[in-house]
């Protein structure tokens, strides 16, 4: 059975249609109008310096769009490089088109992104270095007296933009943390409910087998004894009673077999509760109905492995699809988490992987990690049929 995780609209500030992106497009268009108008009116000479400035202006917005379409996973290095490249492109535009004083506004857009994707100290150092270059460019073109006030205004706007995106990023991180905690609580609740249902099924099957089954067998023996002692006219009625008791005993055994067929804990609902509300990556479930852990401890171990594996894949894999697979084998139960990400080598084993390995080993199971031939990782957790 294959189910996709429920889709959700992408609302991150990092998306191409987020408010920051829309504001950036409008700002860039407003900035690009000045040099274009000057070129058309022949107030700006089209020389090598102007060409470099125009190239920087165009390159900055192209890099911005590329960054907005790049998945932001765990402050990805690719996103940081794109933001830094935007800063270089903006400085080229400021140098090549000094007649347009609005070119420095591009650095406000850069600062808004930089404080969202870099650690605070690194973002501060980079912003200081960029503004030092900006100060040199402004002083060279406008002189110190005019450049300093303009520089202070640009730095103030950069600080405002940086604070805005920093708070937005922190709010998203807090929201994601709450969503993860909520998913964990829902999964645990589903697991406990299924455990209670499994215990009740087991109790009912035992009661039916031990009480109803034994008493019906005793009733059959009594009817056989009566059949030998009664006269011929009454034997037909006794025979009918024996036939009914046989049918009832067969029905009771059928119910017991049905209840026993569902021994173990159904993990399906608990695993689906872990699904994040994201449109990308897509999470698919392949869940075998016969794959049922024998005990609550086994079910909890597999649930925690699934939770840790999904978290790692979402943070580090940069993948389009994650497959969560639960299967039953002759040797036991296997849980797999597979992604189509960029990993080409096994990751360093941290506390999360060590914790999963220890949890499974305590129940007689094992954990293995492999690199898929087409890229990405496959994490497999195996548990025996019985602990």
């Amino acid at each position: 059975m294959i189910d996709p995780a429920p889709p959700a609209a992408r609302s991150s500030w990092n998306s191409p249609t987020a408010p920051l992106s829309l504001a950036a497009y409008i700002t860039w268009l407003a900035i690009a109008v000045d040099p274009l108008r000057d070129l058309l009116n022949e107030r700006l000479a089209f020389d090598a310096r102007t060409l470099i400035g125009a190239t920087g202006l165009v390159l900055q917005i192209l890099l911005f769009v590329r960054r907005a379409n790049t998945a932001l996973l765990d402050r990805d290095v690719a996103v940081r490089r794109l933001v830094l490249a935007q800063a270089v492109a903006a400085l080229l535009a400021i140098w090549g088109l000094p007649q347009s004083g609005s070119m420095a506004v591009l650095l406000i857009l850069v600062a808004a992104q930089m404080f969202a994707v870099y650690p605070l100290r690194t973002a501060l150092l980079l912003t200081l270095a960029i503004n030092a270059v900006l100060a040199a460019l402004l002083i060279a073109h406008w002189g110190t007296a005019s450049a300093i006030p303009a520089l202070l205004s640009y730095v103030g706007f950069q600080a405002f933009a940086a604070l805005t995106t920093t708070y937005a990023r922190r709010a998203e991180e807090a929201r994601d943390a709450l969503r993860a905690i909520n998913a964990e609580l829902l999964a645990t609740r589903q697991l406990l409910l299924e455990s209670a249902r499994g215990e009740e099924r087991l109790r009912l099957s035992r009661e039916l087998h031990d009480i109803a089954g034994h008493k019906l067998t005793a009733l059959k023996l009594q009817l056989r004894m009566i059949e030998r002692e009664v006269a011929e006219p009454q034997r037909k009625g006794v025979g009918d009673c024996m036939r009914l008791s046989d049918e009832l005993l067969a029905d009771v055994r059928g119910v017991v077999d049905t209840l026993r067929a569902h021994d173990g804990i159904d993990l399906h609902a608990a695993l689906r509760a872990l699904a994040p509300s994201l449109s990308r990556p897509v999470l698919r479930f392949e869940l075998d109905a016969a794959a049922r852990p024998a005990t609550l401890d086994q079910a909890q171990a597999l649930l925690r492995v699934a939770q840790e594996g999904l978290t790692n894949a979402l943070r580090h894999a940069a993948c389009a699809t994650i497959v969560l697979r639960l299967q039953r084998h002759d040797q036991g139960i296997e849980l797999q988490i597979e992604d189509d990400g960029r990993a080409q080598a096994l990751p360093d084993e941290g506390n999360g992987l060590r914790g999963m390995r220890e949890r499974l080993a305590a129940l007689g199971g094992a954990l293995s990690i492999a690199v898929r031939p087409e890229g990405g990782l496959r994490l497999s957790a195996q548990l025996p049929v019985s602990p």
Side-chain angles (χ1 to χ4, degrees):
M1 182 176 183
I2 302 176
D3 293 324
R10 185 180 180 187
S11 60
S12 170
W13 67 270
N14 188 60
S15 69
T17 57
L20 173 64
S21 299
L22 297 178
Y25 304 147
I26 296 172
T27 301
W28 185 87
L29 286 173
I31 293 171
V33 166
D34 284 343
L36 181 61
R37 185 176 58 242
D38 290 342
L39 280 172
L40 294 175
N41 295 333
E42 298 182 351
R43 291 199 299 265
L44 179 63
F46 191 76
D47 52 16
R49 182 171 181 174
T50 302
L51 180 61
I52 292 174
T55 302
L57 178 62
V58 173
L59 187 59
Q60 193 276 334
I61 194 61
L62 292 177
L63 289 168
F64 183 94
V65 173
R66 181 70 182 89
R67 192 276 308 154
N69 283 280
T70 301
L72 186 64
L73 297 171
D74 202 27
R75 300 193 173 184
D76 196 352
V77 174
V79 175
R80 296 180 182 181
R81 289 174 179 171
L82 288 170
V83 174
L84 197 58
Q86 286 181 59
V88 175
L91 290 172
L92 286 176
I94 295 168
W95 176 80
L97 300 169
Q99 299 85 350
S100 177
S102 59
M103 287 295 127
V105 175
L106 296 173
L107 292 178
I108 298 174
L109 302 179
V110 172
Q113 301 167 77
M114 190 164 289
F115 278 82
V117 300
Y118 280 95
L120 179 60
R121 181 175 297 181
T122 305
L124 284 172
L125 291 175
L126 287 173
T127 303
L128 287 174
I130 291 169
N131 280 289
V133 177
L134 174 63
L137 294 175
L138 294 179
I139 290 172
H141 184 69
W142 293 348
T144 304
S146 299
I148 296 301
L151 179 65
L152 291 176
S153 65
Y154 290 135
V155 170
F157 283 119
Q158 289 176 31
F160 178 79
L163 287 172
T164 301
T165 52
T166 298
Y167 289 139
R169 180 64 189 269
R170 288 179 179 175
E172 286 192 353
E173 289 174 347
R175 180 201 63 194
D176 292 342
L178 289 174
R179 181 182 293 159
I181 292 171
N182 185 58
E184 181 180 352
L185 291 174
L186 288 175
T188 302
R189 186 184 70 174
Q190 290 290 342
L191 191 61
L192 292 174
L193 288 174
E194 178 56 32
S195 175
R197 284 192 290 265
E199 291 177 358
E200 184 64 16
R201 284 195 301 267
L202 181 60
R203 186 187 68 81
L204 288 174
S205 67
R206 286 173 176 169
E207 292 290 334
L208 286 171
H209 180 271
D210 296 342
I211 297 175
H214 288 177
K215 290 189 175 181
L216 283 171
T217 302
L219 176 62
K220 285 176 59 180
L221 293 174
Q222 290 293 329
L223 288 171
R224 282 176 184 165
M225 292 174 60
I226 294 172
E227 187 180 27
R228 296 193 192 102
E229 298 174 358
V230 300
E232 183 64 32
Q234 288 81 26
R235 285 184 182 179
K236 183 180 182 303
V238 175
D240 291 340
C241 291
M242 288 183 63
R243 180 177 54 79
L244 290 173
S245 63
D246 286 337
E247 292 176 359
L248 182 56
L249 183 58
D251 291 341
V252 169
R253 285 173 177 168
V255 172
V256 170
D257 289 341
T258 302
L259 291 173
R260 285 291 191 178
H262 294 287
D263 273 358
I265 298 174
D266 187 359
L267 270 178
H268 294 194
L271 290 173
R272 288 195 181 95
L274 293 176
S277 299
L278 299 175
S279 58
R280 183 180 177 90
V282 175
L283 176 58
R284 294 207 320 266
F285 293 97
E286 299 179 6
L287 306 177
D288 183 359
R292 290 172 173 263
T295 67
L296 181 59
D297 287 341
Q298 284 189 330
Q300 286 177 328
L302 291 176
L303 187 65
R304 296 296 169 252
V305 168
Q307 182 182 9
E308 185 70 23
L310 286 175
T311 300
N312 289 341
L314 289 170
R315 285 181 176 175
H316 307 299
C319 56
T321 304
I322 302 174
V323 179
L324 193 153
R325 190 177 294 115
L326 186 67
Q327 304 172 96
R328 175 69 180 264
H329 303 300
D330 293 337
Q331 297 80 9
I333 299 172
E334 182 179 19
L335 174 74
Q336 286 187 357
I337 298 175
E338 188 175 278
D339 66 71
D340 60 356
R342 61 191 176 189
Q344 300 294 328
L346 294 178
D348 296 331
E349 189 162 313
N351 292 329
L353 289 176
R354 281 195 293 269
M356 285 190 280
R357 200 180 297 280
E358 292 166 358
R359 185 187 290 270
L360 292 169
L363 298 171
L367 181 76
S368 61
I369 306 174
V371 178
R372 301 170 68 238
E374 58 270 36
L377 294 177
R378 179 185 294 114
L379 183 146
S380 299
Q382 296 91 23
L383 280 176
V385 176
S386 59

